[in-house]
Amino acid sequence: QKEVEQNSGPLSVPEGAIASLNCTYSDRGSQSFFWYRQYSGKSPELIMSIYSNGDKEDGRFTAQLNKASQYVSLLIRDSQPSDSATYLCAVTTSASKIIFGSGTRLSIRP
Amino acid sequence: EAGVVQSPRYKIIEKKQPVAFWCNPISGHNTLYWYRQNLGQGPELLIRYENEEAVDDSQLPKDRFSAERLKGVDSTLKIQPAELGDSAVYLCASSLGSKTGELFFGEGSRLTVL
């Protein structure tokens, strides 16, 4: 079992719709959870962090965390073509390692 | 504020040759990371520094990879000798502390081994 798992996609979403990205992790002691966006040929960029169960909203982005289910998700509302990128889920494990998933490729179609 | 600076951006070498990558983190960031990213994969941690101390190098292939962070600021990652499988993007990132996963990445160094 991978430490952080994501569906590789591609996930195709029409412009203006909600994109839903999911991530599961294996270390129950993990405390910090992050979403990074990576455009093709660029380096990852932090877009959301979440530390406690529930939802955290920032503009069009909402991160959701369920520690009991070891599940993290990212919702992107009113999806724009500029949201087309690979989204990486990252988790800080109980050993203070920051582990990345393999990413979900998101494509917003006009 | 300047971001994380890496060089070179691109490097093409023949197998068995040495190569080195340099990273200057964001000022004040004590924690520095080297990650390797293969195409279609997420970044894989190679080594993490707290100031000048390597606190996690369990994923660093020590037979051919070495790293240093003199004076707790700049860092260098070296590969000697390079193998075909080392072709990847080498990412340097920094953060205020190891407790946070809020990493700031440099632009990366793309290595091609022929």
Side-chain angles (χ1 to χ4, degrees):
Chain A
Q1 181 188 13
K2 288 184 178 179
E3 293 181 90
V4 180
E5 294 209 52
Q6 297 182 253
N7 188 320
S8 62
L11 175 65
S12 181
V13 173
E15 185 174 354
I18 296 174
S20 177
L21 305 161
N22 305 314
C23 169
T24 58
Y25 60 95
S26 61
D27 183 349
R28 279 200 171 275
S30 299
Q31 294 296 321
S32 307
F33 308 87
F34 308 88
W35 285 99
Y36 287 79
R37 178 177 61 200
Q38 186 172 28
Y39 291 115
S40 181
K42 301 294 186 183
S43 56
E45 169 194 19
L46 179 68
I47 54 172
M48 289 289 287
S49 58
I50 187 165
Y51 302 93
S52 55
N53 280 330
D55 295 0
K56 179 181 177 182
E57 188 174 318
D58 184 0
R60 296 186 296 111
F61 297 96
T62 299
Q64 298 175 318
L65 174 61
N66 183 327
K67 289 185 179 180
S69 300
Q70 294 174 243
Y71 179 89
V72 195
S73 64
L74 179 71
L75 302 178
I76 306 175
R77 290 182 299 281
D78 187 24
S79 296
Q80 302 297 309
S82 59
D83 296 325
S84 296
T86 295
Y87 289 80
L88 298 163
C89 174
V91 173
T92 304
T93 69
S94 54
S96 296
K97 285 180 183 283
I98 301 167
I99 306 296
F100 284 82
S102 57
T104 298
R105 195 154 45 97
L106 174 66
S107 175
I108 307 300
R109 58 182 190 271
Chain B
E1 181 181 306
V4 177
V5 179
Q6 288 188 248
S7 68
R9 290 291 315 279
Y10 304 93
K11 189 74 176 179
I12 301 174
I13 60 172
E14 293 190 348
K15 62 181 180 182
K16 300 185 182 179
Q17 294 300 304
V19 63
F21 305 112
W22 174 82
C23 173
N24 179 248
I26 293 173
S27 177
H29 280 195
N30 298 328
T31 309
L32 184 145
Y33 308 78
W34 283 102
Y35 281 88
R36 175 172 59 190
Q37 187 173 27
N38 291 303
L39 192 63
Q41 299 296 315
E44 172 195 1
L45 179 67
L46 293 174
I47 190 167
R48 172 168 61 100
Y49 282 94
E50 293 289 343
N51 298 304
E52 63 271 13
E53 182 183 359
V55 296
D56 184 356
D57 62 356
S58 57
Q59 300 287 85
L60 190 72
K62 298 182 183 61
D63 56 337
R64 297 183 300 106
F65 286 64
S66 64
E68 60 182 10
R69 189 182 186 198
L70 300 176
K71 300 182 181 178
V73 181
D74 294 1
S75 178
T76 303
L77 177 70
K78 297 179 181 177
I79 309 174
Q80 182 171 11
E83 296 179 352
L84 295 176
D86 296 331
S87 295
V89 176
Y90 290 83
L91 294 165
C92 179
S94 69
S95 68
L96 279 173
S98 63
K99 298 298 183 184
T100 173
E102 298 183 2
L103 306 184
F104 295 84
F105 284 89
E107 293 184 298
S109 295
R110 181 178 296 276
L111 173 65
T112 302
V113 182
L114 302 176

